[in-house]
Structures are given as C-alpha cells and as structure tokens.
Amino acid sequence: MAMAEEASLSNAQEIPTGLTIKTTCSTSCLKPGNNKDTLSTPMCSDLASPNIKSSIESSPYNSPLVSPPSSAFVSALQSPYISPRAITPKPQENPTPVTLTLPISPPVSYRGSQSDDIPSSSYTPPSDQYEYSDDPADSKLKFVTCVQVPDPAPPRVSFSFPVPRISFAKGSVSPASNAKLRSCDVFIGFHGQNPNLVRFCKWLKSELELQGIACFVADRAKYSDSQSHEIADRVICSVTYGVVVVTNSSFLNHLSLEEIRFFAQKKNLVPIFFDTGPNEIMGLLNCNSIDEECKEAIDGLMKSHEFKLEANECNWRSCVAKAAGILRGKLGRKSVAENDLEGFEELPFPRNRCFVGREKEIMEIETALFGSGDGFEQDYAVPIIKGEASGQSEGLADEESDTVSARGGRFINLELGKCKEPTLEAWVEPVLGRNSLKKSKYKKSRSDNYKSLGSNVICINGVPGIGKTELALEFAYRYSQRYKMVMWVGGEARYFRQNILNLSLNLGLDVSADAEKERGRIRSFEEQEFEAFKRVKRELFRDMPYLLIIDHLETEKEWWEGKDLHDLIPRNTAGSHVIITTRLSKVMNFDIMQLPPLSLPDSMVLMRGRRKKDYPSEELEILQRFDEKLGRLSFGLWVIGSLLSELGISPSELFEAVNQVPLEECSTSPYMSINEEQYCKNNPFLMKILCFCYAILQQINGRRNFLASRILLVGAWFAPAPISVNLLGAAAKNLPCVGNRLRRWKKCLKITFGCCLGCGLAPQNEEESALLLVKLGLARRANKQSGCWIQFHPITQVFAKIKEGLLAPKATIQGIRKIGNPLLNSDHLWASAFLVFGFKSEPPLVQLKAIDMVLYIKKIALPLAIRAFTTFSRCSSALELLKVCTNVLEEVEKSFVSQIQDWCHGSLCWKKKVHGSNQRVDEYVWQDVTLLKATLLETRAKLLLRGGHFDSGEELCRTCISIRTVMLGHNHAQTLAAQETLAKLVRMRSKI
C-alpha cells in the first residue's frame, strides 16, 4: 500500500488528466483556489489518513433529490459504479498532508454514457453497512469521491454561490451519474407545504419526461446537508431552462428567490403561477419590508411572464399541457409518447345540467382526495417519516421502498417501486432526521395546519337508483382538470376484466399476447395475462394523475378467474385517485361513503323536471306523495320529472294514471337474477311507473311500428354499456310486433295519450325513437364521436326483462349477427355469447338453428375470441369460448347423425317431424358445420402453441387434419396449412 502511494506521488506531475485528492485529519475542505500546488481540479475532499478502511460514510441526513424518471430513466441504485471504500484511521496528533493522483475517465455524456441505467437526476447512495457517526469529534474517516467537472464558468452575480460549487458532502457521486445530473434539460423548482402544489409539480415532471425531456424537481428549502444542495446547484447551473412554480410562499424563501433571479438573468426562466397571479405578486412591491432581492425576483418574473402560465384548480391539465408544449418547442423535441386518442371520450355521458343536491358529498370526496385547500397535506397512503430539526418539513416516502436507518447518520434514500421493466422511481423528497416506520392513517404537522389522508380510494355505496353514478359523474366533470385523464370503467362482473384491459387503448399501451416464436422462453398464459394487467396497472398508478371511476362494481372477486380487487388497485395509488360506485356494503378495506336519499327540497326540484314548472299547493302535495312512495330514489324522481315535462300533464293526473296500472303487469321474469327479482318486489310503485312509460311508448307508436317500445325490450339483453342506435334498430326490427295488453286501464290513460300525440314525442326513425327513451328518463345519451349512442339505466334493463320472454334476446342475437363490430361492440358481443352458449353454471337462453349457429360462430364468436387473445391477452377466456363453440358444433353433428339414423330406421316420429316442419338434413349445412369445427380446432392449436401447450395443440391439429383430408383432400390448401401447424408443434415440443 505504501509503495503504491509513493509511486502515485512521484508521478503526480506527469499525469495531466489525473484527479488529485488531498488527505488530512482535518474534517474541513479546501476552498477553491487554496493550496493550488496540491489541487488539480476544482473538486476535492479530505481524508483523515492515508490508511484506508473498507467503509463509506453517508451524508448526515436522509436528503434525497427529487426527480423520479419516467420509463426512459432508470434508478441510480442500479449503477455499476461503486464508490471507493475507506479504512478507519488511527488518531494522529500532527497529521501530515498526503497528495495522491488517480487517473479518471473523461466526463460521460448523457446519450453516450457507459451505463444507461443511471438517470439524469439520481446518484448512488452508500450502503447502510458503512455508516458513520455525525459527531465532529468522531475520529472515523471523512471521505468523498471526487468527480471531474469542466472548467468553471465565471460566477453569476445573481446566484449566491460560485458556479459550480465545490462538494463538501460526505456521500459519493459517481462520474457517470454526475454527468447525467449535469445533462438535465429542465429544472423545476417550488416551495411550499400545500400537497396540491407537490401533486402539480409531480405531474409536470412526469408530463415532461413523457415528452422525452429530462427533468430535475426540487424544493431546496427541505435540503439540510451540503451534498443535496451541491447536486441541485450543479443541475441549476447546467439546465437549458428553469421552471419555477411560484406561490405566495416562494417570496418567503431565499432559495426560491435565488432560482428566479438566476434563471431570469440567464433569460431562460419559465415561471408558472400556482394559485396566485401577477397582480397579486406585483402588490408585494407596495410592502415597506420588501428587500432588493425580492424586488429583483419580482421584476424578473414579470419580464419572463410572456407565456401567461397561471395554474389554478380549474386549469391544471391545460396549464401542464401548455407548459410541456412550450418547453418541447423551445428544446426542439418531438413528443415520443403522443397517443392517437381521436374519437376517445373520457366520460361516457354528457354532464347532467339538472344535477341537484349532493354538495356535501362532493365536498367530502374532494377533502378526502385533495385535502381542504391549504389545510391538508396528503401522504399518499405511505408511512410517515418524521423530521427532528425545528422548522423543517416532514417528508414523504414510498411505502414500497426500503427506509435506511443508521446509528449516527442518514443516507440519501433513493426509492424504487416494485416495477421491474422499466423501473420507475418513486417521487423522493428530503427526509430530515430520524425515520419512523410506523404507518398512520392521519398525522398532524407541528403547526397543526396540515393533515395527511390515508386513502386515495373512495367507495360510494347505496341502493340501486339512489344516484351513485350521477354523483361520480358530477365529480368527474368538476375536477377533471386536476387529472391527466379520467378513466370510466364498468364494474359489472362479466365485463370488468375486459373493461380494464380496454384502458390500454386509451393509454397507448401494448397488452397483446406473445407472438409465435421458435427461440427463447415461451411464457405461460397465466404469465401473459398477468403481464398485460400489470402494464395497465403500472401506467394508471404513478405520478401522472389519473381518475379511475369504477361504476357499478358487482363483486370484489373477478368473475372469470376469481382474482381479488387488490390485484388491480394497489395500496399506494401514487398520483391517481379511484372512485368506486357499488351496492356492496363493504369493498375490501376501502373507505365507504354511504349515500343517503336526497333531501325533500332537492327531490321536489328533481320532480319539477327540466322545465321547472311551478305548481299550486295541491299539486305539490301530490309530488310529496310521489316522493314518499318512491323512497326518494333519484332514478324514480327523475322519471317523474321527465314525464311531467314531456307529457304536459299535472302531477295529480299522472298519479291517478300510475295507480291504475295492475300489479300483474309488474310481475317478475324467470330470466331475472334473485337480486333483480327482490328489487322489483321491494319497489312496486317504481315498477308501475315503468309500466306506464312502456304503455306510453306503445301508444305513441301505435300507428307506426312500435319501434321505441321494441328498442326498450331488446335493450335489456345488451351489455351495460353504450349501444349504437343502428345496432338497437337492427335488433328491434327482428322483434315481432306485440299487441296492446293495456286495455283494462286504457280509458284511464286516454287524456294522457291525447297529450302525447300533440306534444311532439312521436318518433319518425331509429334515432328519434331512441332519444324518446332518453327524454322519458329511461336511458341516457352517451358521448360518442360517430352516430347516436345511448345507454339504458340498469333498473330499466331489469324491468324490460319482464316483457316478451325469449323473443327479445333472440332478436338481439340476430341484430348483433348482422352488424356486430368487434372493434366497437366487444361488450355486446360477449353479452350475445353468454345468451347463446351460457357460461359456468348459467344455461344458454337462446337456441339457434344449425345454419344460424354456423353464421354466428363465423361472424361473431371466432373473431371475438381471436381479438380477445391477440389484442388483450385474454388467453383463458378466448380458449374457453372457442372450446364451447367446438362443443356446440359437435352437438349439432350428433343431432344430424341421429336424424339420419331415425330416418333410415323408419321412425314414424321422425317422418311426422319432417313432414310437420317441412325440413330435412341439409348436407351443405352439415359440411359447413364440420369444416367450421376443423377451423376452430386449428385456431385453438395455434393459440395453444403460443402458451407452450404443445401436446394439447398437437392432438387438436391432428383431428383438424383428419377432417380436412376427408372433406377437402390431401393437397387442399387448408389441409396443407394444418399440416404446417402440426409440424411446428412437433418441432417446438422436440426442442423442449
């Protein structure tokens, strides 16, 4: 060791590119310009002794820098660069300075670094096993890895420190990470305790990184050690543009003023006013206590306010998008993550202009998710890490990261989430003093002005029809600007998984299944499905804020595979919020908001309808009777208001007419679920009102073709999702006309029907017929770019199942078969598959003829299964659907064989059946059934190949080849294609 040091000392003057390190017992560091004979670079550190111990000392506090990267930037914890180790020295009374020179590689550029695993805004912290005491009298080694930097530029007068500042920190900064730190494009500075400010800055940083712009975000007032400040200073001096998020508290912090003055002098300042404005800032100039530094900062702000970036709670999204566009243009960058979202509507329905009440509930949701103005601080459901120093802020740490504690000091804690590819770092704030791993739901800061909230998930619970969806929709419209995007997902059990995967189209994610490959590892179907779900989950729950609304959640367990809801919603939702509407009294361990009925004044407003007609006191008493009988259900009250507005009758006339509806008209159907039957029995008056609406539809359309009433009947069997009017019309036209069954109380409705015929309700076409249902409050119009779409209320669908038995579902299947589009109507195609095939314990409701079954499988089932598998990685569901289709065709074949055998044996029953139905076994249909079965077998074999199920795929493929050889011949193209698939299966199995 001594010989190596002597050799290094003797050659110190011969290595011009070397890095000189001076060692001494003193814990202070040399200033720039001192001891020029022994210092060859502007950066140095002091060693206690030339004897080196295998240990590294950390910074005195947990003081991480704020800058989690996007998928393009990976944590510095993965850096291959490992800091030098040091040895505990022996105490010396008169230390002798020793200078040694080490060769160092030239600075590494951002794009051409030796390791792409190091982000532009992170550096490698030392490990906790090498921690040392913070006591200045401690004789343990003080060591810093020196980093080569370019020649210092002339000091900037407006900044309070030389550029660049020399590192006096006790941590280590690797050369590559330092190079990337100095290659950030944008510095984002802010100051304040408001959690909404922190949320906004996270969002801005994530949006910029999504555009390919490297960012560094910091509230430097929270830094307590020199290493954090030194690294932030380097970034500030090297970035191309500086964004300062200005709040009222910014002018109480000299570091924020420093940033404003520095960037303003360089003419690269982009200020964003947050919950304040230029006029309010200019008003500070009238204060007598304002100093020159503050005046200079305000002057620089006003000169740089050319882009008018002012963020308030109503325009966060617009402000972030505008700021990202400005910086992208100034930097000459093209967006690397622009998603083609044309035709995508965030919210499924237009805003309800007649929304009343629920102000208290909306405020409760806002307080839970955002906090009440400046009175709350959000901790994103993570453990609290408390500070010790007086006047210092408490920091936030990711729940999934490892908190580093130590005996005498604190390490810089860069946090990592659990995602593996790509690794996404969590937002990191300075952590001051001792760490506390105790997780608490609520906490108070020293000033008692801030609270942190324990959950970003709110469940709205209530009975059907009480207004849960309306409340979630109104909240989404009011606060949509606080989110990058609002995602609306139907929570019905059968469609929930597909609805979640559909979000990948809106987020621009690829969740497709693995393609066929003959090399490399083949992942199982379970792995592929899990990865697809994880990609959507990982994108939703990060610093980019999304609002996910799960409407009408039916069960905690996923219907297809029984997976838990926690598989979708993590404990830490990061910047995203989740609102769930459900009839369930409890959903996991999420906070439940029990939705009460509307107050009487709000109910009266709702029943007065869109026209807000004033009624005399006698009629108001009738409205109160409606309110009592309906139990203040918002849905029933809205239907009453719609009827009064559209029919132009008085409440007393409507009440008399509804009371005349016989109860047998409201009887339940054998095709309802137990819960649906129970709901109808518990709300007889609501069922009478819906029967009255159905009678209105029939009477209005009596001279035409009952189109509106038939649209209502077929709509009950579609999925709970928006339906195209064209699809509804095609299904309704296949439903035979039904007679008027309301003769017994037709006289009571005579005056009502007379009003209807003259009030402009009589529809002329499919669209007008569908919109009539919207006017009566039975459905609502959906937001779609192309054509007219409506969605039926769940209670309306339950009621419509009472009428016409199985005629309506058969008509629905025929309409879907004619114009069903897998790209636009996937939910409705799945609904038709449930009707035709049944799933799990549910039997099929619709029996199709052989030729109709062949056409349905060809046009609907087969494309639906292939798309579900390839586009959304729904491997098990797609294969199950194909297997059911194969079994159905086999049953058809058996019936054909049975019919032929019965005919050959001269069965009188068979002859009478054939004679009575005038049908016979069609050999062409039989051939179509057999060839379609072979196609299904080949398709299943190809899909099984992608999941490594070679034996099962080989068996299916051989059966397919046998069928095609008999039906088509050895040399037919389809037979040869199946043989090629078989060869691939055998080849892949042999490799394994």
Side-chain angles (χ1 to χ4, degrees):
M1 183 68 181
M3 295 178 63
E5 289 181 2
E6 293 175 2
S8 176
L9 290 172
S10 63
N11 297 327
Q13 304 298 328
E14 300 177 5
I15 306 177
T17 60
L19 175 64
T20 302
I21 302 178
K22 181 172 181 288
T23 61
T24 179
C25 282
S26 174
T27 58
S28 62
C29 184
L30 296 175
K31 301 295 182 182
N34 296 341
N35 297 316
K36 295 182 180 178
D37 295 336
T38 60
L39 189 63
S40 61
T41 68
M43 301 189 61
C44 71
S45 64
D46 294 347
L47 304 181
S49 169
N51 299 323
I52 299 177
K53 180 181 168 143
S54 176
S55 181
I56 300 174
E57 176 149 20
S58 71
S59 62
Y61 301 96
N62 273 332
S63 180
L65 292 177
V66 182
S67 186
S70 67
S71 59
F73 307 107
V74 189
S75 171
L77 289 179
Q78 300 177 359
S79 172
Y81 298 91
I82 299 185
S83 304
R85 296 181 178 179
I87 295 177
T88 304
K90 297 180 179 179
Q92 296 183 14
E93 296 180 358
N94 298 316
T96 303
V98 180
T99 303
L100 47 113
T101 304
L102 302 175
I104 187 168
S105 60
V108 186
S109 65
Y110 172 67
R111 294 296 180 187
S113 65
Q114 297 176 13
S115 173
D116 291 333
D117 291 337
I118 305 171
S120 60
S121 54
S122 303
Y123 56 96
T124 307
S127 171
D128 61 341
Q129 60 181 328
Y130 301 122
E131 185 172 21
Y132 277 77
S133 170
D134 290 329
D135 187 359
D138 195 345
S139 61
K140 295 179 180 179
L141 176 66
K142 312 293 183 181
F143 182 86
V144 169
T145 300
C146 296
V147 182
Q148 186 183 30
V149 297
D151 293 335
R156 294 171 173 82
V157 178
S158 63
F159 227 26
S160 60
F161 51 82
V163 183
R165 179 185 291 180
I166 296 177
S167 173
F168 302 144
K170 293 179 288 183
S172 61
V173 183
S174 67
S177 64
N178 177 69
K180 285 196 172 184
L181 280 170
R182 291 182 284 103
S183 67
C184 287
D185 301 310
V186 175
F187 173 86
I188 303 175
F190 70 98
H191 174 68
Q193 296 279 350
N194 188 347
N196 290 331
L197 171 64
V198 178
R199 179 182 179 85
F200 179 83
C201 293
K202 289 182 181 182
W203 182 0
L204 178 60
K205 174 203 149 301
S206 298
E207 183 67 32
L208 291 176
E209 290 187 339
L210 196 64
Q211 309 296 337
I213 299 174
C215 300
F216 187 98
V217 188
D219 180 359
R220 295 192 297 142
K222 294 183 179 180
Y223 295 166
S224 63
D225 65 301
S226 58
Q227 183 178 25
S228 298
H229 281 289
E230 181 266 331
I231 298 233
D233 296 348
R234 294 185 190 179
V235 175
I236 291 174
C237 296
S238 62
V239 293
T240 308
Y241 289 96
V243 175
V244 179
V245 182
V246 182
T247 63
N248 293 327
S249 61
S250 298
F251 296 91
L252 303 177
N253 176 30
H254 74 281
L255 294 173
S256 295
L257 295 177
E258 202 174 59
E259 294 165 4
I260 295 172
R261 293 165 54 219
F262 178 73
F263 290 123
Q265 180 186 4
K266 291 181 63 178
K267 301 187 184 303
N268 63 351
L269 173 64
V270 180
I272 299 178
F273 292 90
F274 186 85
D275 283 344
T276 187
N279 294 334
E280 189 174 351
I281 299 302
M282 289 294 293
L284 297 176
L285 295 176
N286 300 326
C287 300
N288 296 328
S289 60
I290 190 171
D291 55 12
E292 290 300 324
E293 182 182 2
C294 189
K295 289 181 180 179
E296 182 182 349
I298 294 176
D299 182 63
L301 278 178
M302 296 304 106
K303 290 180 180 179
S304 304
H305 190 47
E306 55 180 312
F307 302 111
K308 310 295 183 184
L309 294 175
E310 300 178 19
N312 55 63
E313 60 184 14
C314 299
N315 73 339
W316 285 8
R317 184 192 301 188
S318 303
C319 186
V320 168
K322 184 177 179 181
I326 291 171
L327 291 169
R328 189 173 67 243
K330 284 180 169 292
L331 293 168
R333 305 286 175 83
K334 291 184 178 180
S335 175
V336 296
E338 287 184 357
N339 300 328
D340 185 11
L341 297 180
E342 293 184 5
F344 165 65
E345 294 289 344
E346 287 186 21
L347 293 169
F349 313 116
R351 188 170 188 175
N352 184 2
R353 301 299 177 184
C354 301
F355 182 84
V356 296
R358 305 300 187 195
E359 294 301 324
K360 177 183 176 182
E361 288 79 8
I362 289 179
M363 291 302 298
E364 287 179 1
I365 297 175
E366 180 192 12
T367 300
L369 299 181
F370 295 103
S372 178
D374 291 337
F376 292 86
E377 179 179 4
Q378 193 174 359
D379 77 350
Y380 301 93
V382 297
I384 307 306
I385 299 181
K386 298 182 178 180
E388 290 180 341
S390 175
Q392 293 174 334
S393 306
E394 294 178 351
L396 306 178
D398 193 316
E399 181 180 9
E400 298 174 346
S401 66
D402 295 329
T403 305
V404 182
S405 60
R407 298 183 300 273
R410 291 294 176 268
F411 291 133
I412 294 169
N413 180 18
L414 293 181
E415 300 167 311
L416 287 174
K418 292 185 178 180
C419 305
K420 292 184 179 180
E421 50 175 23
T423 301
L424 296 178
E425 284 187 324
W427 172 278
V428 183
E429 291 192 16
V431 180
L432 310 174
R434 298 184 181 274
N435 296 338
S436 172
L437 295 179
K438 180 180 179 181
K439 181 178 180 180
S440 59
K441 187 173 182 181
Y442 298 94
K443 72 180 178 74
K444 290 185 180 180
S445 66
R446 296 172 194 80
S447 61
D448 276 344
N449 291 330
Y450 290 84
K451 293 181 180 179
S452 68
L453 306 167
S455 175
N456 289 337
V457 182
I458 300 295
C459 294
I460 304 174
N461 167 260
V463 297
I466 202 169
K468 303 181 294 294
T469 300
E470 291 291 341
L471 176 60
L473 184 68
E474 179 66 18
F475 180 87
Y477 270 106
R478 289 192 188 185
Y479 298 94
S480 60
Q481 277 290 321
R482 299 193 185 185
Y483 299 95
K484 166 72 174 179
M485 194 180 298
V486 180
M487 303 290 185
W488 191 284
V489 172
E492 292 77 12
R494 295 182 178 183
Y495 312 99
F496 183 53
R497 185 175 186 84
Q498 181 63 56
N499 291 339
I500 291 294
L501 293 174
N502 286 343
L503 296 179
S504 63
L505 303 177
N506 306 332
L507 296 170
L509 302 176
D510 180 15
V511 295
S512 58
D514 294 345
E516 294 182 8
K517 54 183 179 181
E518 299 198 11
R519 294 184 179 180
R521 177 178 174 270
I522 297 179
R523 297 190 299 171
S524 66
F525 291 142
E526 291 76 13
E527 289 178 288
Q528 297 182 46
E529 291 178 347
F530 177 77
E531 177 63 24
F533 214 70
K534 188 175 74 173
R535 288 180 185 177
V536 176
K537 175 181 174 180
R538 186 169 55 201
E539 179 66 22
L540 277 177
F541 301 110
R542 59 190 187 95
D543 285 339
M544 188 77 77
Y546 293 100
L547 175 60
L548 175 64
I549 298 179
I550 303 175
D551 187 33
H552 193 208
L553 181 70
E554 289 184 341
T555 177
E556 296 179 352
K557 298 291 184 178
E558 197 263 333
W559 188 74
W560 288 92
E561 301 175 7
K563 291 186 177 180
D564 198 278
L565 190 62
H566 276 310
D567 292 335
L568 167 67
I569 304 175
R571 290 173 296 173
N572 181 7
T573 62
S576 296
H577 294 155
V578 182
I579 296 178
I580 301 174
T581 68
T582 181
R583 303 175 187 179
L584 303 175
S585 58
K586 180 182 178 182
V587 180
M588 301 299 177
N589 58 345
F590 299 138
D591 295 337
I592 297 291
M593 172 186 288
Q594 185 69 37
L595 196 62
L598 286 173
S599 63
L600 180 58
D602 291 334
S603 300
M604 299 297 288
V605 171
L606 202 58
M607 284 188 290
R608 286 170 57 194
R610 289 181 286 269
R611 300 182 183 180
K612 309 297 182 187
K613 185 178 179 180
D614 294 325
Y615 294 103
S617 58
E618 298 81 5
E619 299 294 342
L620 292 178
E621 292 180 0
I622 299 296
L623 290 180
Q624 291 184 13
R625 293 180 64 183
F626 273 120
D627 179 73
E628 293 173 1
K629 284 186 170 292
L630 289 172
R632 293 187 183 172
L633 290 179
S634 300
F635 171 70
L637 299 176
W638 176 249
V639 172
I640 294 296
S642 300
L643 290 172
L644 293 176
S645 298
E646 299 301 330
L647 301 182
I649 60 177
S650 66
S652 58
E653 292 172 332
L654 179 61
F655 190 81
E656 181 183 359
V658 171
N659 273 332
Q660 294 298 321
V661 178
L663 286 176
E664 55 265 26
E665 291 291 336
C666 308
S667 60
T668 59
S669 167
Y671 310 110
M672 290 182 176
S673 66
I674 297 177
N675 292 334
E676 291 171 346
E677 289 184 7
Q678 190 64 37
Y679 184 80
C680 292
K681 292 178 180 179
N682 294 339
N683 297 273
F685 193 76
L686 178 59
M687 293 298 108
K688 283 188 174 185
I689 292 175
L690 295 179
C691 283
F692 177 82
C693 292
Y694 180 68
I696 293 293
L697 295 176
Q698 284 192 315
Q699 186 67 20
I700 291 175
N701 293 283
R703 297 182 181 179
R704 290 173 175 81
N705 57 4
F706 295 94
L707 186 57
S709 60
R710 289 189 292 175
I711 286 178
L712 173 63
L713 295 177
V714 298
W717 303 98
F718 282 91
I723 315 169
S724 168
V725 167
N726 295 332
L727 182 58
L728 279 172
K733 290 175 182 178
N734 290 293
L735 184 65
C737 296
V738 293
N740 190 351
R741 302 177 181 178
L742 311 174
R743 294 177 182 176
R744 283 179 295 178
W745 49 288
K746 183 176 180 180
K747 292 182 180 180
C748 300
L749 303 179
K750 185 175 181 180
I751 183 172
T752 302
F753 292 153
C755 297
C756 295
L757 294 175
C759 65
L761 286 182
Q764 303 295 328
N765 53 36
E766 297 171 354
E767 183 172 344
E768 291 181 359
S769 298
L771 293 180
L772 174 59
L773 301 175
V774 175
K775 290 181 179 180
L776 295 182
L778 303 177
R780 62 190 315 160
R781 190 159 187 171
N783 287 329
K784 290 289 184 178
Q785 291 288 335
S786 58
C788 178
W789 296 64
I790 67 171
Q791 180 168 340
F792 291 95
H793 194 282
I795 297 177
T796 304
Q797 288 187 303
V798 170
F799 164 77
K801 290 180 180 180
I802 299 175
K803 307 294 182 181
E804 303 310 322
L806 292 178
L807 294 177
K810 288 181 179 179
T812 301
I813 297 300
Q814 293 175 1
I816 289 178
R817 196 188 70 196
K818 287 182 179 179
I819 61 173
N821 185 347
L823 297 178
L824 299 177
N825 306 300
S826 62
D827 282 347
H828 303 305
L829 300 190
W830 279 108
S832 68
F834 299 143
L835 292 175
V836 173
F837 304 117
F839 268 83
K840 295 191 175 181
S841 61
E842 300 179 5
L845 292 180
V846 178
Q847 300 293 333
L848 296 179
K849 298 178 182 179
I851 184 62
D852 293 332
M853 182 64 74
V854 170
L855 294 175
Y856 177 82
I857 293 177
K858 278 185 178 180
K859 293 196 62 177
I860 303 299
L862 183 58
L864 178 63
I866 293 176
R867 184 170 186 266
F869 187 101
T870 57
T871 305
F872 298 107
S873 297
R874 293 192 63 187
C875 307
S876 301
S877 305
L879 288 170
E880 181 66 20
L881 177 58
L882 293 176
K883 181 179 180 180
V884 170
C885 292
T886 306
N887 296 338
V888 168
L889 293 181
E890 288 178 349
E891 291 298 323
V892 173
E893 283 186 318
K894 291 179 182 179
S895 68
F896 284 164
V897 173
S898 177
Q899 292 176 26
I900 293 298
Q901 289 176 349
D902 290 343
W903 178 260
C904 293
H905 288 84
S907 171
L908 294 177
C909 296
W910 167 248
K911 292 180 180 179
K912 288 180 180 179
K913 184 176 180 181
V914 172
H915 179 73
S917 61
N918 196 24
Q919 292 181 351
R920 63 185 180 85
V921 176
D922 191 333
E923 62 270 18
Y924 294 106
V925 175
W926 196 343
Q927 180 179 349
D928 288 342
V929 169
T930 306
L931 290 177
L932 180 58
K933 175 186 172 183
T935 301
L936 292 174
L937 293 173
E938 182 186 22
T939 303
R940 290 169 61 189
K942 288 181 178 179
L943 297 183
L944 288 171
L945 171 63
R946 298 191 182 189
H949 297 270
F950 305 121
D951 293 336
S952 301
E954 181 179 345
E955 180 180 353
L956 296 175
C957 198
R958 291 187 185 278
T959 306
C960 170
I961 293 174
S962 300
I963 294 174
R964 288 180 175 174
T965 301
V966 173
M967 302 292 294
L968 304 174
H970 287 283
N971 297 323
H972 193 274
Q974 294 184 16
T975 307
L976 297 176
Q979 291 175 351
E980 183 178 349
T981 302
L982 176 62
K984 187 180 298 184
L985 284 163
V986 173
R987 185 167 60 251
M988 293 295 295
R989 188 184 62 176
S990 63
K991 288 184 178 180
I992 292 181

